[in-house]
Amino acid sequence: MGFFDYLKSILKIFQIKKTVRLGLYGPVNAGKSSLANKISLDWLGEEMSEVSKIPHETREIKVKEKVKIRSSGKELDFNLIDTPGIATKVDYEDFLKYKLSKSEAKKRAKEATQGVIEAIKWLENVDCVLVVLDATENPYDQVNVTIIGNLAARNIPVLIVANKIDLKSANIKRIESAFPQYNVVGVSALKGTNIENFYKELFRTVR
Amino acid sequence: MLRLQIIPHSEVANLTSESKISKVLRIAKNNRIILLEGRLSPEEETLLIERTMSNIDRRFKGIEICSIGDSETRDLVKRIKRGLAQFLLGVGASGMTIIGPASIIKEIKRDPDKIELLTKNVK
Ligand SMILES: Nc1nc2c(ncn2[C@@H]2O[C@H](COP(=O)(O)OP(=O)(O)OP(=O)(O)O)[C@@H](O)[C@H]2O)c(=O)[nH]1
Ligand SMILES: [Mg+2]
């Protein structure tokens, strides 16, 4: 390797270090896009993803580049990567109850399956991950275990976000006891509850 | 009628991840519930999800999956890591994995201490 190649590779390392590629992963409907929107709105003044109560709203990776976040007296650049929710099954008939036509539902299902595959492929392209879980749901779900286990095997730092704490049945404790060696921070992406604390935990996780 | 197929560890121990996953998927697509001795590694689990997604069509809607391990720890990630270590050391398998077609299994409910398999009405 010549001197300039060497120099280039060093520069490359610095470039990668400069911007944190932050992936938002999790099961369908947990609020990944809502949280991505909240972060993007807080620091760029604009939202980045579509949100819907219909599952599999995000079916393609959405990236928002150069999001400068300040917290705890530090400043970091992030690329926010909103991913399609991960599922082990997709049935177009589940979409019919949301008043989608049969052909719309089938199209959505097809795109959803491709979205899941894309989300998994993108695990290669992230430096840090927010695993977004719906705190009203049972955390002992295989999809959660698979995502977190996979990130652990890749040594990617993880912050678990227990979302929807504005809802009565939200249970952060249950998530903490399912994943005891992870930091868990409760938020409401919808209402913005505890978001300052979330940024603090994010910076601790990135380090 | 529910059909159950048990796969002992010895039957998959020497397979590559890819062929292990194909085997499991083939059985699930054949409308059987699989009881696999041992657990899949995190990489194999994501591979299974990817392959499941590309196999979904008019008839096959995907899978339900649940792996269960030793009962002394509620810590899921620790369980996975231990499973992986055992896998790498080749000391056989602990725990087990239930995989079934989503058309038959409505839900696998897991609490730390128990597993409930809810099936749909199968014609
Ligand atoms: N009550 C409450 N609802 C929320 C919160 N965050 C998201 N939601 C709702 O949950 C639903 C799903 O939100 P999304 O942000 O689209 O979820 P997602 O994880 O991106 O979903 P997919 O892209 O389909 O995987 C929407 O109806 C949101 O309004 C929250 O903090 N509290
Ligand atoms: Mg989304």
Side-chain angles (χ1 to χ4, degrees), chain A residues 86-92 113 116-117 120-121 138 140-142 145-146 148-150 153 178-182, chain B residues 42-43 45-46 49-50 52-54 56 61-67 74-77 80 102 106 110-112:
Chain A
I86 293 181
T88 57
K89 60 180 177 187
V90 179
D91 188 347
Y92 79 89
T113 61
V116 173
I117 295 171
I120 291 172
K121 294 246 180 298
N138 181 5
Y140 292 90
D141 185 276
Q142 194 68 32
V145 179
T146 300
I148 292 172
N150 211 289
F179 304 104
Q181 72 275 68
Y182 286 88
Chain B
E43 289 83 357
E45 283 184 357
T46 42
I49 294 179
E50 286 186 78
T52 299
M53 287 300 127
S54 41
I56 286 179
K61 307 294 184 192
I63 56 167
E64 283 290 342
I65 172 171
C66 179
S67 63
R74 293 182 166 205
D75 184 337
L76 296 171
V77 174
I80 296 166
K106 201 162 101 204
R110 183 201 1 223
D111 277 312

Side-chain angles (χ1 to χ4, degrees), chain B residues 78-89:
Chain B
K78 224 179 253 165
R79 286 187 201 170
I80 296 166
K81 281 186 172 162
R82 184 174 314 137
L84 186 65
Q86 277 163 342
F87 168 76
L88 292 173
L89 292 169

